[in-house]
Amino acid sequence: MTPLPPAGRVRRAGLSAVLCAGLTMALGACGEDPDAGTNGVGKLSAEEIETKARTAADAAASVRLSGTLVSKGGTYKLNMRLKHDGGTGSLTSKENAFELLRIGDTLFLKADAGFWSHADGDEDKEPSESDLEAAKKLADKYVKVPKGDPSYKQFRGFTDMDVLLDGLLGMEGELSKGDRTRVGGVRTIKVTAGEGGRGGVLDVSLEGKPYPLQFTRAGGAGVLTLGDWDKDFPLAEPSKGETVDYGKQLPKSSEQSS
């Protein structure tokens, strides 16, 4: 007959088994691959991730770009849908809000009377009667921006996908990999530039194509969200009743002078 082990020894053996099992589970969890089920860009270097994101953005047919832009002229809220042959959306500042629509080389601007009433760009100056009359005619109409107007290039830039992405997504300083996080429910990995991300922070998708999904601009110059990549949308010219052709040059608004 085999003698039974003392009760203390049995308890110690049981406890040991439980601890070993728990330790094994913990080690297994710690050893899980954080890139499992992702597109794999999280395994790359910061420079390679940024390049992948740029390549994906350059190859995309369309994007929605929204967020804030901070400049010497103030803070602007941007909400644009863009593709290579045009774009549509809005810009809002403390003083004014206006909409832009571009189809090919044809550019329209839509704003309220307040936008148009300060023809000389001076917000502190009371508009003249002629300014007010002109503003009433232009208010809430799609005003065709002449190509020869000084503001054409400036306004068109906000509707140009390539120009806007190149101009707004610049990073300054040495790149490094940051934390894995989520943007809009999508898993991302951060790429930071400069010390503490002062040169910009880019969140790149770990799901599907490695599109940039959020960008914190260098020097506190705003935060932008990028979405609806490669989702097409219609662009159509407004009806004749909604448009005004002002001629060869627009009146100079406060936004144009900033």
Side-chain angles (χ1 to χ4, degrees):
M1 179 182 293
T2 304
L4 293 174
R9 188 183 301 172
V10 172
R11 287 195 295 269
R12 286 196 298 271
L15 179 59
S16 177
V18 171
L19 290 175
C20 286
L23 182 59
T24 300
M25 292 176 64
L27 290 174
C30 291
E32 287 181 1
D33 182 2
D35 294 301
T38 72
N39 54 24
V41 299
K43 299 179 181 180
L44 305 177
S45 68
E47 290 78 9
E48 290 171 325
I49 296 172
E50 197 259 353
T51 298
K52 287 278 188 182
R54 286 275 184 182
T55 300
D58 290 342
S62 59
V63 66
R64 178 188 290 275
L65 186 62
S66 59
T68 57
L69 297 176
V70 180
S71 69
K72 293 179 180 179
T75 300
Y76 298 83
K77 290 185 178 180
L78 179 74
N79 188 3
M80 300 295 300
R81 295 200 72 179
L82 308 164
K83 52 186 177 180
H84 294 295
D85 60 347
T88 182
S90 64
L91 278 85
T92 306
S93 70
K94 183 179 179 181
E95 292 82 15
N96 293 299
F98 58 94
E99 298 176 24
L100 293 170
L101 169 65
R102 180 175 66 85
I103 303 169
D105 289 331
T106 304
L107 178 64
F108 296 95
L109 188 154
K110 183 180 180 181
D112 61 17
F115 178 91
W116 296 111
S117 61
H118 296 277
D120 60 0
D122 188 350
E123 287 288 337
D124 297 324
K125 181 181 177 182
E126 287 296 321
S128 66
E129 287 296 325
S130 61
D131 291 336
L132 293 174
E133 283 301 314
K136 288 179 182 179
K137 294 179 181 179
L138 300 176
D140 300 319
K141 296 285 188 179
Y142 284 95
V143 179
K144 188 174 182 180
V145 183
K147 288 184 181 179
D149 190 272
S151 66
Y152 178 86
K153 185 177 180 180
Q154 175 190 354
F155 285 135
R156 181 194 167 105
F158 285 108
T159 66
D160 191 309
M161 181 174 171
D162 296 327
V163 169
L164 207 55
L165 290 179
D166 287 344
L168 297 181
L169 299 185
M171 303 188 79
E172 303 171 2
E174 185 177 351
L175 302 182
S176 58
K177 288 168 65 171
D179 297 332
R180 284 171 170 78
T181 184
R182 288 179 180 267
V183 174
V186 178
R187 286 179 292 175
T188 62
I189 186 166
K190 291 184 180 292
V191 176
T192 63
E195 184 179 353
R198 293 178 183 175
V201 179
L202 182 66
D203 285 87
V204 180
S205 177
L206 289 172
E207 301 176 19
K209 294 183 180 179
Y211 291 123
L213 298 185
Q214 184 171 282
F215 184 63
T216 303
R217 302 183 70 210
V223 179
L224 300 168
T225 299
L226 303 98
D228 292 344
W229 287 102
D230 269 330
K231 291 184 179 180
D232 197 18
F233 59 93
L235 285 174
E237 287 198 17
S239 66
K240 289 185 178 180
E242 296 178 289
T243 61
V244 173
D245 191 339
Y246 199 82
K248 294 184 178 180
Q249 187 169 332
L250 297 179
K252 188 178 180 183
S253 72
S254 59
E255 296 292 338
Q256 290 168 258
S257 62
S258 62

